[in-house]
Amino acid sequence: MRKIAAVYRNELYKICHRAVTWLLLGVMVLAVLGAGGLVGLAMKAMTSRSSGVYYDENGNAVDPVEQRRKELQEQINGQKKFIESGMKRLTEEYETFITPEETGDGVGAFALGGAGGLGGLFVGGPATEGVSQLYYDLTYNRAQLRTMELCLAHGIDYFGWYAFSTDYDFRTEVTQIYPTLQQMILVLEDKQDFGPGLDEGEAAQLAMQEALAKKVEGIMRSQNYEEWLDLEIAFARLTLEPEYMEGTERFYELLRKGNPDGSLNPALVQQVVTDIGNLEQSLKDDVDHVSGGGASVPLTDDQRAEFRDRLAVKTYRLEHQAYSAANILSEMMGISVDPYNICRQAGMAVLVILILLLAGGAVAQETSTGSIKSLIIAPVRRWKILTGKIAAVSTVAVVGTLLLLGALLAVNALFFRDSLTLPYVYALDGQARELHFLVFRALEALVSLAPLMVYLLFALMLSAVIRHTAPVVGLSIGAYFITYLAGEMLTMVPSSGVVRFLPFAHLSLEHMVFPFVESNVVTAIFSAGGSVTEKGSVLFSSVYLAVMALCFGWTAYDSFCRRDIK
Amino acid sequence: MEQVLEISRLSKKFGSRWVVRDVSFSVNAGEVFGFLGPNGAGKTTVIKMIMGFLTPDAGRIQINGFDNIRQYEKAMERIGGIVENPEMYKEFSGRQNLVMYARLHGKTAAARIDEVVRLVGMEQRIGEKLRKYSLGMKQRVGVAQALLHRPNVLILDEPTNGLDPAGVRDLRDILKRLAHEQGVAVLVSSHMLAEMELMCDRVGIIENGVLRGVMDIGALLREAGGEEVYRYEIDDVPKALALLGEVWGGSIRSSDNRSVVLALPRAQVPAVSRLLAAEVGLLGLAPQQKSLEDAFIQITGGGNVIA
């Protein structure tokens, strides 16, 4: 033990003396900072109102909001022109079939924007299918026009111009229901104004719809989120068959829980609520509604447990509004925009390269330069020499991991405080629990040491076997990149079957240990429905990694201890 | 006398070629043992087996009574040495290298490091990085490292490589003193015969992996037949050669245009001198030291061996 400690001290001394150690540790911190900066810029570009830069014809920058307002006004003008010509065409087409005398009151027909013969549609005249299609298309455009005008009046963007904006305004949701409402109103209004008039039921319906429309306009002014939710439910009642109402009410209940004050992006919350609804429905029907594909086979026990866990986590996060800007982007764009994870991967790549360099040089460099002689002539058994070397490089791995953790926490606290401080929510037997974010990040760093040790032993094995620095370092770094890329590709196929016996399928153990990390979930959902919480996968991967480490380590010891040093 | 290094029936092959075959010898405490042989004879291979670089294919090595395979650390505890060239960490200073080596022995007293540095005359430049050292300076630091932990067996593979004449003399003195005053067993390998002659008490001669013989220097010199060598300076060398061949019939070692070198028993010297003085004009007579080289050539059959 004393001898191993002496070798360890010497090796650490040598490692600390090498410029490459400090250089790469520095590069690692810079990589974290750089990745953080890039993700920050990208997120800002995607989420900020003022990200777009517009120029007028003189090349001067203009205010993007003002620019958008102008564009919307132009859109409205265009829409008006389109409707006008549409109405004209509608009249012409209609009149080629029916003479004015036959239509009864032709005068009223011309009252609407100069369009004639409209009333004929409602008295059951023999309009062709083409004509009534034209009428309904025009009604759709007229309803859109009313919505655009409403948006312009209240400074709300039309059709999700800020779809990726984190400056949410729940009122943008108006573009989802208002056109439908107006379309229904327009049809009844036309019938009342130009046609045979409304019957009692229709009149009541129109009154109700107009009241709703008035309410919408009122909410646009008052910006009252509670009222808006009530209104959405009322609208659903108006448009949906009663048998769908149970699900719809559950939807709004969850929506209210997940976004109690309307401050979260509605698109995110709706996505999460939809996911929850699918999971609940799947458990209820005992059929997988989540992965899609329409399979109607019953769930397996594992699937049921997994769904229960996922449901618990989703619900917990929803109820605690445990979301960040990054989550929102991830959910909406279907790619993982987890700044912590992106920074971590950048830093990790540098750390792995450092470890590969040090472990790869551990034996090879000494044999190449001959300095191994001063180790061999010392009264220390070779296995102790190798153990001291492994311990020294492992120390660098641990220190590097801690430094990386520190850099990640600092950079994320600086740029992405909202996503950094989210706790890790996980589930055990369908019960959601949370882990403090610091504990989670520390554990994650600890777990990531396991694959790092595998890389270390791999490079050490090459080092002991090949004994020439350049090919060892080249081979190990090459192998690292190939396994990294292969691992990335593997996320696109389900994790079962033959794939799980490939060595590089297990090198991101931390993803498996923490399956409820939002970015991992997103990756899994978008990778052919691959499951991240598959039972036993952590154990399998751990054993697999341990076996790999043992093989590499044994080969390294065997080669270093038994082979002659010529 | 105590045998501190015992080698018995040591064999090693590289691939299918035996590079060391059945070598046995031992080195006693307090003696300088010369390991002599041409390049490629197997000297370094034997030393590497002693120092633990190579595993013998047969035979055993005992150091201070410990087997160097089974009791490796005990066996290596009191052995110091240089194998081929001293290779250390070039990016560290001589002193840092010594400190790291001392640590592996569990001995880090700074005073001892200063002592060995002084001993090899490196105190001026021990703080410089090794990559700035000449071969000779590295050799000196190598010797310092080998002595650092007060070994009682010292193994030096071609230690005078790269040393200047003063360095060679210093090293010789150090080794002799260590052996004769402190009882250290020293094994020195070399292909430089003259050096061995001055340094060693005994020599073992190895050729083609086989140990041809071990003898002490005095015995080695006698082995050649007890003749001594004299240089006769004369006027007319061709005439002298003809005369000697005709009348004397002894061994003519060499000749040039001013002298002939003869190997002959001391008793014959006056007679030969008188003969030459009378017939060809003797200008001078000088005894030549009988060299190990002669003995070496004689033992190994001469020829291909001397570097």
Side-chain angles (χ1 to χ4, degrees), chain A residues 99-228:
Chain A
T99 58
E101 298 88 73
E102 283 173 298
T103 62
D105 187 359
V107 184
F110 288 93
L112 186 87
L118 207 56
L121 281 169
F122 298 100
V123 293
T128 61
E129 206 177 304
V131 170
S132 54
Q133 185 60 48
L134 192 58
Y135 171 73
Y136 282 105
D137 286 350
L138 275 172
T139 313
Y140 171 79
N141 282 28
R142 284 156 70 201
Q144 293 290 353
L145 178 65
R146 287 189 181 185
T147 313
M148 286 175 189
E149 283 171 333
L150 181 76
C151 286
L152 189 63
H154 294 284
I156 304 160
D157 197 14
Y158 172 74
F159 256 168
W161 188 55
Y162 300 134
F164 300 141
S165 171
T166 44
D167 310 324
Y168 324 109
D169 187 334
F170 74 85
R171 295 181 303 164
T172 51
E173 289 294 289
V174 78
T175 59
Q176 300 296 313
I177 64 170
Y178 199 67
T180 316
L181 188 60
Q182 283 300 334
Q183 211 173 337
M184 296 191 298
I185 291 174
L186 275 169
V187 171
L188 288 176
E189 276 178 355
D190 285 348
K191 195 173 177 190
Q192 180 182 280
D193 293 351
F194 310 113
L198 304 173
D199 64 26
E200 216 167 281
E202 286 171 333
Q205 244 180 348
L206 181 62
M208 201 160 75
Q209 289 164 0
E210 280 175 336
L212 267 187
K214 270 222 149 48
K215 221 173 192 170
V216 171
E217 286 150 28
I219 294 168
M220 291 303 108
R221 275 190 298 276
S222 70
Q223 304 188 20
N224 187 324
Y225 179 67
E226 278 293 317
E227 278 179 30
W228 173 255

Side-chain angles (χ1 to χ4, degrees), chain A residues 66-82:
Chain A
E66 202 44 56
Q67 174 69 19
R68 180 61 193 150
R69 198 184 288 277
K70 248 188 230 164
E71 281 171 14
L72 189 53
Q73 185 61 63
E74 277 163 22
Q75 235 176 322
I76 288 172
N77 296 343
Q79 191 77 313
K80 276 184 178 157
K81 268 199 196 108
F82 178 80

Side-chain angles (χ1 to χ4, degrees), chain A residues 432-506:
Chain A
R433 294 144 205 254
E434 69 168 69
L435 210 55
H436 188 266
F437 81 95
L438 278 176
V439 178
F440 162 52
R441 293 307 182 187
L443 283 177
E444 183 186 50
L446 193 69
V447 172
S448 72
L449 266 174
L452 198 58
M453 284 304 292
V454 175
Y455 281 123
L456 188 159
L457 289 170
F458 175 68
L460 192 82
M461 173 189 74
L462 290 182
S463 189
V465 171
I466 300 176
R467 296 187 178 178
H468 293 283
T469 318
V472 169
V473 170
L475 270 176
S476 53
I477 292 182
Y480 165 62
F481 275 112
I482 289 167
T483 53
Y484 181 82
L485 286 178
E488 287 288 298
M489 282 175 202
L490 281 186
T491 61
M492 292 172 206
V493 295
S495 61
S496 53
V498 187
V499 171
R500 67 201 302 229
F501 290 100
L502 297 175
F504 36 79
H506 307 277

Side-chain angles (χ1 to χ4, degrees), chain A residues 41 43 68 94 213 369 416 418 505 535:
Chain A
L41 281 178
M43 278 177 63
R68 180 61 193 150
Y94 188 70
T369 62
F416 314 103
D418 68 329
K535 265 223 168 109

